[in-house]
Amino acid sequence: MAPDLNTTLSKKTFVFGMKVWVFTGVLVGVFIVIVLVVLSICVTSRRKSRRVSGMLPLSRISIASKEIKEIGVDHVSAIQQGPRPHDGIETESEKVLLYSNKAYDYSISGSDDHTEIYAIGSGEGSKEASVLHRPSDSIPPDTSPLAGLPDFSQLGWGHWFTLRDLELATMHFSNDNIIGEGGYGVVYRGQLMNGTPVAVKKLLNVGQAEREFRVEVEAFGHVRHKNLVRLLGYCIEGTHRILVYEYVDNGNLEQWLHGALSQYGYLTWEARIKILLGTAKALAYLHEAIEPKIVHRDIKASNILIDDEFNAKLSDFGLAKLLGAGKSHITTRVMGTFGYVAPEYAKSGLLNEKSDVYSFGVVLLEAITGRDPVDYGRPTHEVNLVDWLKMMVGSKRSEEVVDPNIERKPSVSELKRALLTALRCVDPDADKRPKMSQVARMLNSEENPIPRQDRRPRKGHATATKMESGKQERGPRRHK
Ligand SMILES: Nc1ncnc2c1ncn2[C@@H]1O[C@H](COP(=O)(O)OP(=O)(O)OP(=O)(O)O)[C@@H](O)[C@H]1O
């Protein structure tokens, strides 16, 4: 038998006179190579299709500028007394990031207006644009909070987490890791497997369909600004809907003004203005630099998170609404937080970005005075912060409204600047409220004086006039 097999295998074939055993070996080898090639093609195309399905159509959202621009801001000692939970602010230049995600070909819609938003603060005027443009890759890739996570679960803008990933990150959503609870869910502190600290928001009673949830979330995932909390990714599994944000480690403005963190000392005037200015820039970006614009709908002190350099990070897009191009407003169920909601929105549900401007004005007044927007513990005429403020300014008692916990009081002009800005934001007539880019300019130090047209007394707008002339004003009726 063996000699027969030997003979058979040693016979020559018709292919180049190769012996049978050599020919068989070659065939087996070719077969293995083909199988390997087919397998690798399958794996590559699966990865691609998964990434593509995680992307948003390019038309969905566009970013106004591809560049990173830098804005010089004088930093200040942020808190004035007591043990500090973190170091104060050191003098350095503040970088406002507005950059493209390389995976997308964002369109550039930089109208003059938009450019203005990011040119505030340097005092360098038109030079700034040419000096400060930087290539988008000047953010080192290894600083990405998502670096080192599995490639297959990268979305176009962030990360698609599994429930298991987030269970591991939060010690199985342990109660010890709960940071707080809002109207939409519980927030846990967590750590990704690459070491990045995160805030994990587990939504309750998600009524939205899976696709809508994902589309909305991806719209916000593309939004990037230094003063916006970054959404790093999400998880959809079964009935779970979970959002994963960058972790901001120095509490929120509400805690600093009225809550637990006031035990560490009180924010200085300068720190308050810095936080409000950052918030104004974030809103200017949402309202004026991207398409469709985003109306936040829940601007309030507890949604302004603070990092360890006392930069504002606007958070909580749970209520935010996209406002498509050409739409002046949308009608929606009134949501938001009592004391912060604009009167026209509360009355009719008509929502546009001017509703955010109103709420921002309330937060600014809150920071100036250290008072809650609505405080039933005070005498009747002081319960509503906006009404009381208007009454005080109208009675030429502006200096009495400053938070008594602020040691170094603002100068008369600093106070006037802040009050004037706030009162214009809370104008009962939404059309008369400034745009957030104007608000940011108005708040931004003596170097950028309030533009003439903003000072000019306007018919029906008593507030600005009274601030200038000191005449008495009767506050408008309460809306809520
Ligand atoms: N990215 C984050 N980093 C650190 N803490 C956060 C982060 N996001 C939220 N928090 C904290 O978690 C807590 C709950 O936040 P959440 O936004 O859910 O509710 P809220 O703002 O208190 O109320 P509401 O749901 O009415 O807006 C707050 O104390 C908030 O400061």
Side-chain angles (χ1 to χ4, degrees), residues 228-286:
L228 286 174
V229 171
R230 189 168 154 199
L231 181 59
L232 299 177
Y234 60 81
C235 163
I236 298 179
E237 232 176 272
T239 54
H240 297 282
R241 300 290 181 276
I242 305 172
L243 301 166
V244 181
Y245 294 96
E246 74 171 296
Y247 181 73
V248 185
D249 58 359
N250 204 9
N252 63 48
L253 182 60
E254 198 268 334
Q255 290 166 335
W256 275 103
L257 289 178
H258 324 289
L261 291 174
S262 52
Q263 64 177 288
Y264 292 104
Y266 291 95
L267 293 174
T268 60
W269 175 262
E270 289 78 6
R272 293 171 197 224
I273 295 299
K274 175 178 169 154
I275 291 163
L276 269 290
L277 180 58
T279 309
K281 287 177 185 171
L283 281 171
Y285 171 79
L286 293 177

Side-chain angles (χ1 to χ4, degrees), residues 179-187 198-199 201 229 245-249 251-252 255 298 300 302-303 305 315-316 337:
I179 306 172
E181 196 164 344
Y184 294 87
V186 183
V187 182
V198 285
K201 189 169 197 169
V229 171
Y245 294 96
E246 74 171 296
Y247 181 73
V248 185
D249 58 359
N252 63 48
Q255 290 166 335
D298 199 17
K300 58 177 174 176
S302 67
N303 281 339
L305 306 184
S315 81
D316 204 353
T337 302

